[in-house]
Amino acid sequence: ENALKKVEPAFHIIPLLFAFGTAITAAVGEMYGNVFWTCWINPDPPQPYFQYFQWSFLFGPVWVCILIQLSVMVTLWWTMRKQERLISRKYALKEPTTSSTLDISNRTEDGEETVSQTWSTNDADDVSGASTSTSHKGSSTARVARGGKNRRSINDEGKYSSRIAVQGSLYVLAFCVCWFFPTVQRITELSNGTNYFTMQALDTTLLPLQGFFNVLIYLRPKYMNWRRKYPDYSEDHSTPQ
């Protein structure tokens, strides 16, 4: 955490420098023009190679950021997955076993039988053994096995890493969906100079929604925790009174 605080200013300075640098460069070069729904790099009359400024100033950095985000999410998921495996392996090795044995022996003259009971615990934290004996009529032998006091379940292995994978995938998916159609639109313009209305409509509709999608994804874990805490809430409120 202390190391992250040291580099945190750079994560504020670098985007600001890039934004101001590209904006000033486009203004000085008189590259701004009308692109139907906003003002962007589209000079009138067209200047040579202005499309390459579109890619180097916006679409190139955007897809680099998408790849960086994807690599960060994959690294985070893989790190959590390894930790879960280590923890599961640790508790699997320490998982205690406790057994109790009833042994019938030494029939007495009056028909009673001596019952001896022994139990042992194999636990990394608690190793002990004891035995008792009592009398019992009849004959039987029984073995009872029961889990130790520190028994841990490993059924949750992968649960938290799966949640991280889903959450990270949603962020990357929202990023890609919002920028996919604008990118395709620029590719068609660069290749044959054609604008398609459908692409333009999807471009102008989805691109402003990226922040909205991010808010929904950010609130999703809180909603899922609430649903796990109150699983019967919707059923109780949907039942007619």
Side-chain angles (χ1 to χ4, degrees):
E1 185 176 355
N2 292 332
L4 290 176
K5 288 182 178 179
K6 293 180 180 179
V7 299
E8 182 179 359
F11 290 101
H12 296 284
I13 295 173
I14 293 176
L16 291 174
L17 289 177
F18 181 82
F20 281 108
T22 54
I24 294 171
T25 301
V28 172
E30 298 181 351
M31 300 180 187
Y32 288 117
N34 180 30
V35 288
F36 301 106
W37 63 279
T38 187
C39 179
W40 191 46
I41 300 177
N42 189 25
D44 187 20
Q47 299 178 6
Y49 309 113
F50 78 92
Q51 295 96 338
Y52 298 104
F53 285 99
Q54 293 179 341
W55 282 92
S56 60
F57 283 6
L58 179 60
F59 289 100
V62 162
W63 285 99
V64 168
C65 290
I66 290 176
L67 293 177
I68 292 175
Q69 184 187 41
L70 178 61
S71 63
V72 169
M73 294 301 178
V74 171
T75 302
L76 182 61
W77 167 79
W78 182 248
T79 301
M80 177 60 72
R81 181 63 174 166
K82 287 197 299 184
Q83 291 179 350
E84 286 180 333
R85 288 177 177 175
L86 289 174
I87 292 173
S88 299
R89 190 177 299 114
K90 173 184 176 183
Y91 284 116
L93 292 175
K94 292 180 62 177
E95 186 175 342
T97 57
T98 303
S99 62
S100 177
T101 302
L102 299 178
D103 188 15
I104 310 300
S105 60
N106 299 328
R107 179 182 297 272
T108 58
E109 295 180 356
D110 58 358
E112 291 188 352
E113 295 176 342
T114 301
V115 180
S116 63
Q117 181 179 12
T118 61
W119 66 87
S120 62
T121 301
N122 181 16
D123 194 338
D125 299 325
D126 181 16
V127 179
S128 59
S131 62
T132 59
S133 62
T134 183
S135 297
H136 179 71
K137 289 187 177 182
S139 61
S140 64
T141 301
R143 177 177 292 273
V144 181
R146 58 183 182 275
K149 62 180 181 180
N150 292 326
R151 183 181 182 87
R152 301 296 182 97
S153 174
I154 60 174
N155 293 331
D156 292 338
E157 180 182 351
K159 179 175 67 175
Y160 296 104
S161 60
S162 299
R163 293 179 185 177
I164 291 175
V166 172
Q167 191 73 1
S169 300
L170 290 175
Y171 277 116
V172 176
L173 180 62
F175 207 163
C176 291
V177 167
C178 291
W179 284 97
F180 174 77
F181 295 104
T183 304
V184 173
Q185 180 77 355
R186 299 290 84 77
I187 292 175
T188 57
E189 287 181 353
L190 187 61
S191 60
N192 54 24
T194 304
N195 286 316
Y196 298 98
F197 175 77
T198 302
M199 289 293 178
Q200 193 70 43
L202 293 171
D203 180 349
T204 56
T205 301
L206 292 174
L207 192 56
L209 293 177
Q210 182 177 349
F212 176 71
F213 292 152
N214 286 339
V215 170
L216 293 181
I217 297 169
Y218 175 79
L219 295 176
R220 177 182 170 274
K222 299 181 184 296
Y223 172 74
M224 298 301 293
N225 288 335
W226 180 82
R227 287 295 302 269
R228 282 189 289 268
K229 188 176 181 180
Y230 304 102
D232 300 327
Y233 180 83
S234 58
E235 296 180 0
D236 295 341
H237 285 72
S238 62
T239 303
Q241 300 295 329

